[in-house]
Amino acid sequence: MAIVSVEQVTKVFARDEGEPTVALKDINLDIEEKEFICIVGASGCGKTTLLRIIAGLETATEGTIRLNGTPIEGTDTDRGMVFQEYSLFPWKSVIDNIAFGLEMRGIPKTERREKAEKYLKIIRMEQFRDAYPHELSGGMRQRVAIARALANEPKVLLMDEPFGALDAQTRNVMQRELLEIWEETQKTVIFVTHSVDEAVFLADRIVILSPRPGKIEEVITVDLPRMRDRTAQQFAEMRKHILKSMEDSASIR
């Protein structure tokens, strides 16, 4: 059984004036446990909307999303979310930011400290446990945000363009570090990105959404060994195929 099943999901946003906006139309997708899925497509195609519905932050107009066979209704700690904005609390230290979700769940202090220390070690920031967000680089802040999401030990990690605000070099470093975290934690990851290069580097499978209304145009299996070489011919050919698929999708609408 798939860990996440998206079944006939359509999302329509009502407008005060004019026709409603159909953001997503008839989305069907099964995601297996421990998969790394990237969702790509043009701006406004509904990538983030789909992720927010899986997170329980939005509701589908039609259709159902199931987690381990159970329909998703609202937010829950079985799904962790990492946004493009770091969304750390500036008045809390790194270790306290990581432990925040555990504190909100009423986890005893000793236990939440142990879990926070575990994920602090995974992101290799033990020496920054008492630092505050303003003392960290963008990449470091995002690593803390990832650790905070993982500390709740979700079944699925949802990531909405998490490296979009980083410079190119830091972004490449963070991609490699994320893969190392994924391999260590064995989490299912659903990752939204505008970058085809990023998707080919990270994903087991890439889901291409059409321009609005977002429909699944193609699902591509990335059968390349990790860590992937961006200069390799196979990498370039896959990137070219995805870009062409996106261009073709846009041209027929």
Side-chain angles (χ1 to χ4, degrees), residues 202-251:
L202 293 173
D204 291 319
R205 289 190 296 155
I206 298 172
V207 178
I208 302 174
L209 293 186
S210 68
R212 186 183 298 157
K215 299 179 181 180
I216 293 180
E217 286 290 333
E218 190 175 358
V219 179
I220 297 170
T221 298
V222 186
D223 189 18
L224 299 174
R226 294 186 174 94
M227 292 284 182
R228 291 169 183 159
D229 181 357
R230 300 175 198 270
T231 65
Q233 182 178 351
Q234 286 178 298
F235 192 103
E237 288 173 352
M238 184 159 290
R239 181 173 53 205
K240 182 178 179 181
H241 172 84
I242 294 166
L243 288 169
K244 186 175 188 307
S245 180
M246 292 169 62
E247 291 169 2
D248 290 348
S249 174
S251 68

Side-chain angles (χ1 to χ4, degrees), residues 16 33 50 52 56 59 63 78 89 99 131 170 190 217 219 234:
D16 292 334
E33 190 172 8
L50 178 58
R52 287 176 62 84
T59 56
D78 54 17
F89 297 108
T170 304
I190 307 175
E217 286 290 333
V219 179
Q234 286 178 298

Side-chain angles (χ1 to χ4, degrees), residues 103-149:
E103 183 180 359
M104 292 298 97
R105 291 167 53 199
I107 303 297
K109 185 174 182 179
T110 300
E111 183 181 348
R112 68 176 183 253
R113 178 59 58 134
E114 287 176 356
K115 287 190 175 184
E117 291 283 356
K118 171 186 173 181
Y119 287 100
L120 187 68
K121 184 176 181 180
I122 286 175
I123 63 170
R124 300 192 299 277
M125 286 184 59
E126 299 100 311
Q127 68 272 36
F128 296 98
R129 65 167 43 79
D130 297 320
Y132 288 86
H134 74 272
E135 300 174 292
L136 306 176
S137 68
M140 293 166 73
R141 289 196 293 269
Q142 198 59 295
R143 281 155 67 186
V144 175
I146 293 168
R148 183 175 63 184

Side-chain angles (χ1 to χ4, degrees), residues 63-106:
T64 305
I65 296 182
R66 301 180 190 274
L67 181 65
N68 284 330
T70 301
I72 288 173
E73 295 180 357
T75 59
D76 201 306
T77 55
D78 54 17
R79 283 150 285 140
M81 188 84 170
V82 179
F83 301 92
Q84 180 173 342
E85 302 79 16
Y86 313 117
S87 64
L88 301 179
F89 297 108
W91 61 90
K92 287 183 177 289
S93 66
V94 164
I95 194 71
D96 288 338
N97 263 288
I98 294 172
F100 177 75
L102 301 171
E103 183 180 359
M104 292 298 97
R105 291 167 53 199

